[in-house]
């Protein structure tokens, strides 16, 4: 693959903007360049110097647009694509009324392929290059998603969702079949091209202790895999977990008892945590995943970003499509900002962009490969037009610095702000 030189404003991170000053954390070049070669980022630097050093290389000029790492969405349900924005329910009713009937259809390989392709096209149009997805209980739903991702050359994580109780007939497996099917899918897909398998018990209410134990055993046998689930999203859910697991110390303990707490574990939502749960999650370096549009849409609560990040938690940002009301990480950053405001702790635009790229890739333990404009990283990029609508443009025109120029796009931008997306070193269309 021949090298290409992308010209525009560039933005990368040298450290977390939660740890030090914004200026010390961010590298912004007004006239920057990214050299892409063999699917990787070969170099990032000033445009003048890099043009002079690479006179033969084809240039692609994005003008004033901003070149940065593609967005990483660390918790989604691709099978919920077609029922996103379903009205008026809270978590358990929402699952029973809208989600489970839709997920029932994914034993049909053709339907699973259609929705996988639709989901990947919609998210690419919104600048997302990697995601970590729940599938359904059907192995066909996993095969379809990985096949479509592989066609697009994308780095993705996904797994068969396991449920053996409190779900309708047709959407339940067993402890044994969940183990056997997950193991076979893991052997088939994990490490193929840019694909990773995640062991995926949906959440404690829909798994028997026997199933949680079988998932824990599979994770112990495959410790390099991620494990994803849900934790403490709504107070009614937590009460339900308490009644289903009377001997557990708390919600997290229903995972801990069965070998499902550890490094590489991804815990979606994590809103209503007790101190013991926070301490244990911190000790094992588990990943918490903040899903702000979902938390407001389903009415779940306000994630404590400031408190958890200052305590040193590993935190990713996610849409949680279709409990989340968007496919866009721009919209998701805006919602994270609004939740921060409601808690009295607004997030800086640099912190929002960091969460949507580096933070999410850290939550997936992939920050050595994706999530930053950094030499050696895979060339998954998004190019943002910072004046994509009249409303955004008239505000950005008054900007005094790069953050005032970017923030209107974070708050008001949509897929019109996505000028281009690169996946694995090629422009994706
Ligand atoms: N908890 C268990 N399953 C789900 C789901 O599909 N979406 C959300 N938001 N929470 C869940
Ligand atoms: Zn979820």
């Amino acid at each position: 693959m021949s090298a290409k030189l992308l010209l525009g404003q560039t933005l990368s991170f040298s450290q977390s903007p939660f740890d030090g000053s914004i200026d010390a954390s961010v590298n912004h070049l007004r006239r920057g360049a990214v050299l892409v070669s063999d699917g990787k980022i070969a170099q990032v630097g000033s445009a003048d110097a890099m043009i002079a050093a690479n006179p033969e290389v084809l240039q692609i000029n994005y003008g004033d647009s901003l070149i940065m790492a593609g967005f990483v969405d660390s918790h989604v349900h691709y099978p919920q694509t077609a029922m996103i924005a379903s009205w008026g329910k809270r978590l358990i009713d929402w699952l029973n009324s809208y989600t489970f009937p839709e997920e029932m259809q994914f034993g049909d390989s053709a339907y699973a392929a259609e929705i996988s392709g639709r989901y990947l096209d919609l998210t690419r149009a919104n600048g997302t290059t990697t995601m970590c997805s729940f599938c359904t209980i059907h192995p066909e739903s996993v095969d379809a998603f990985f096949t479509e991702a592989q066609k697009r050359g994308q780095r993705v994580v996904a797994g068969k969702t396991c449920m053996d109780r409190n779900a309708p007939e047709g959407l339940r497996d067993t402890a044994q079949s969940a183990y056997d099917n997950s193991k076979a899918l893991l052997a088939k897909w994990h490490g193929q091209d840019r694909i990773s398998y995640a062991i995926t018990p949906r959440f404690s209410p829909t798994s028997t202790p026997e199933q949680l134990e079988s998932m824990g055993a599979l994770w112990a046998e495959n410790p390099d895999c991620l494990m994803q689930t849900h934790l403490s999203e709504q107070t009614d859910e937590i009460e339900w977990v308490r009644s289903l697991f009377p001997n557990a110390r708390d919600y997290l303990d229903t995972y801990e008892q069965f070998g499902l707490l550890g490094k590489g574990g991804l815990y979606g939502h994590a809103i209503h945590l007790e101190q013991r749960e926070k301490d244990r999650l911190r000790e094992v370096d588990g990943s918490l995943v903040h899903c702000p549009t979902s938390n407001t849409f389903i009415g779940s609560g306000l994630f404590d970003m400031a408190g958890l990040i200052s305590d040193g938690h590993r935190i990713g940002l996610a849409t949680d499509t279709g409990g989340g009301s968007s496919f866009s990480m721009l919209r998701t950053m805006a919602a994270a900002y609004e939740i921060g405001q409601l808690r009295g702790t607004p997030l800086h635009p640099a912190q929002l962009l960091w969460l949507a790229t580096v933070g999410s890739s850290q939550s997936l333990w992939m920050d050595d490969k994706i999530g930053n404009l950094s030499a050696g990283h895979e060339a998954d990029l998004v190019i943002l037009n910072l004046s994509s609508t009249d409303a955004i443009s008239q505000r950005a025109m008054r900007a005094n610095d790069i953050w005032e120029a970017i923030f209107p796009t974070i708050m008001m931008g949509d897929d019109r702000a996505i000028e281009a997306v690169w996946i694995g070193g090629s422009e994706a269309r």
Side-chain angles (χ1 to χ4, degrees):
M1 220 187 287
S2 62
K4 305 216 169 56
L5 197 58
L6 282 54
L7 306 175
Q9 302 196 62
T10 55
L11 185 102
S12 62
F13 294 95
S14 50
Q15 63 176 39
S16 164
F18 289 97
D19 290 346
S21 75
I22 301 299
D23 283 351
S25 310
V26 177
N27 304 312
H28 168 242
L29 295 173
R30 185 75 192 73
R31 277 178 47 80
V34 181
L35 182 64
V36 171
S37 177
D38 291 330
K40 299 256 172 83
I41 297 170
Q43 199 184 345
V44 183
S46 87
D48 292 344
M50 286 181 56
I51 291 168
N54 298 280
E56 307 291 310
V57 172
L58 180 72
Q59 295 172 16
I60 301 168
N61 193 345
Y62 289 113
D64 277 341
S65 292
L66 182 75
I67 307 171
M68 57 176 289
F71 299 134
V72 179
D73 186 343
S74 50
H75 180 121
V76 315
H77 299 256
Y78 95 79
Q80 297 171 15
T81 294
M83 47 69 61
I84 193 169
S86 291
W87 186 84
K89 305 281 185 197
R90 289 174 61 82
L91 178 59
I92 307 305
D93 283 349
W94 174 85
L95 284 171
N96 287 319
S97 306
Y98 300 123
T99 312
F100 290 160
E102 176 63 17
E103 291 193 6
M104 207 89 84
Q105 302 184 65
F106 283 72
D108 174 350
S109 295
Y111 187 67
E114 180 190 339
I115 301 296
S116 295
R118 188 188 301 173
Y119 170 80
L120 288 166
D121 290 346
L122 284 166
T123 48
R124 184 191 53 215
N126 280 286
T128 301
T129 47
T130 287
M131 70 288 298
C132 182
S133 186
F134 288 66
C135 299
T136 66
I137 69 150
H138 313 94
E140 292 86 347
S141 71
V142 181
D143 285 334
F145 185 70
F146 283 150
T147 301
E148 291 300 315
Q150 200 171 33
K151 277 189 208 162
R152 291 161 174 79
Q154 275 184 260
R155 180 166 289 288
V156 297
V157 188
K160 175 194 129 65
T161 296
C162 299
M163 300 196 275
D164 66 345
R165 66 167 163 175
N166 293 321
E169 178 68 33
L171 213 52
R172 288 194 305 269
D173 49 20
T174 65
Q176 190 63 48
S177 70
Y179 175 89
D180 293 342
N181 287 330
S182 300
K183 184 174 173 159
L185 288 162
L186 192 161
K188 178 173 176 184
W189 288 106
H190 188 57
Q192 295 294 323
D193 295 336
R194 303 181 75 197
I195 287 167
S196 301
Y197 192 83
I199 295 161
T200 308
R202 181 177 213 120
F203 67 155
S204 296
T206 49
S207 288
T208 58
E210 293 70 32
Q211 180 165 81
L212 293 172
E213 192 170 9
S214 78
M215 294 291 100
L218 186 61
W219 198 18
E221 291 157 21
N222 297 277
D224 69 316
C225 279
L226 299 171
M227 188 288 302
Q228 59 177 343
T229 189
H230 297 86
L231 176 68
S232 293
E233 181 177 358
Q234 291 206 339
T235 49
D236 307 1
E237 172 207 13
I238 296 169
E239 284 309 311
W240 191 24
V241 169
R242 216 187 296 281
S243 70
L244 290 168
F245 297 85
N247 298 323
R249 286 170 290 183
D250 44 43
Y251 195 156
L252 186 68
D253 201 29
T254 65
Y255 298 129
E256 189 168 1
Q257 280 176 18
F258 300 109
L260 293 170
L261 173 65
K263 187 170 152 175
L266 288 145
Y267 305 89
H269 304 288
I271 300 169
H272 308 283
L273 296 177
E274 300 193 9
Q275 193 57 47
R276 192 201 80 86
E277 297 178 298
K278 292 184 211 172
D279 293 346
R280 286 295 291 138
L281 284 160
R282 176 69 199 88
E283 267 164 37
V284 304
D285 206 3
S287 303
L288 310 183
V289 187
H290 179 33
C291 307
T293 72
S294 171
N295 299 162
T296 51
F297 183 75
I298 313 187
S300 302
L302 306 178
F303 182 83
D304 181 15
M305 178 66 75
L308 291 164
I309 216 143
S310 72
D311 286 345
H313 284 275
R314 184 177 289 271
I315 299 181
L317 186 66
T319 56
D320 190 31
T321 300
S325 54
S326 176
F327 296 97
S328 164
M329 289 299 281
L330 291 172
R331 174 76 196 98
T332 302
M333 286 181 254
Y337 176 77
E338 288 163 353
I339 288 181
Q341 281 287 54
L342 287 169
R343 293 193 69 109
T345 50
L347 297 169
H348 189 277
Q351 295 172 331
L352 294 166
L353 291 169
W354 182 89
L355 283 167
T357 52
V358 183
S360 275
S361 64
Q362 286 182 350
S363 76
L364 301 176
W365 295 86
M366 289 179 172
D367 50 308
D368 58 335
K369 297 186 182 66
I370 55 168
N372 207 352
L373 268 197
S374 175
H377 270 212
E378 295 165 359
D380 292 345
L381 311 170
V382 63
I383 291 90
L384 294 178
N385 174 354
L386 301 180
S387 305
S388 60
T389 66
D390 289 345
I392 293 172
S393 172
Q394 60 88 37
R395 176 63 185 94
M397 253 160 39
R398 300 177 68 169
N400 292 309
D401 62 23
I402 179 66
W403 305 117
E404 283 190 35
I406 291 175
F407 194 53
T409 289
I410 292 178
M411 292 310 299
M412 300 194 284
D414 54 27
D415 55 350
R416 288 169 291 180
I418 309 301
E419 183 166 337
V421 175
W422 287 61
I423 293 178
S426 301
E427 187 174 352
R429 287 169 196 282

